[in-house]
Amino acid sequence: MFEKIKKLFKKERFPCIVWDGKIIKYLDLTQKQIDEMNNQEKYKGWSVTKKEDC
């Protein structure tokens, strides 16, 4: 029972490749973080790709 409740609060993280035009980083990001990087002006020109999509 405790494990089922614990899963409700667990954030799903995805292995991602983040590319800013100069440096590639491999990170684990939540979907919310990925969306922020794809939509915010300060990340303009950056690319975030989930590992499964490569």
Side-chain angles (χ1 to χ4, degrees), residues 9-32:
F9 296 100
K10 182 180 176 184
K11 291 184 179 179
E12 187 172 4
R13 299 184 79 78
F14 303 97
C16 299
I17 299 169
V18 179
W19 171 252
D20 69 357
K22 299 175 188 171
I23 299 173
I24 295 176
K25 296 180 182 177
Y26 299 92
L27 304 169
D28 287 331
L29 302 173
T30 63
Q31 186 62 50
K32 182 179 177 184

Side-chain angles (χ1 to χ4, degrees), residues 37-54:
M37 293 185 87
N38 285 329
N39 297 321
Q40 287 187 2
E41 186 65 32
K42 69 179 180 179
Y43 296 114
K44 186 176 182 180
W46 288 43
S47 176
V48 179
T49 306
K50 289 183 185 176
K51 189 174 177 182
E52 303 92 39
D53 297 341
C54 293

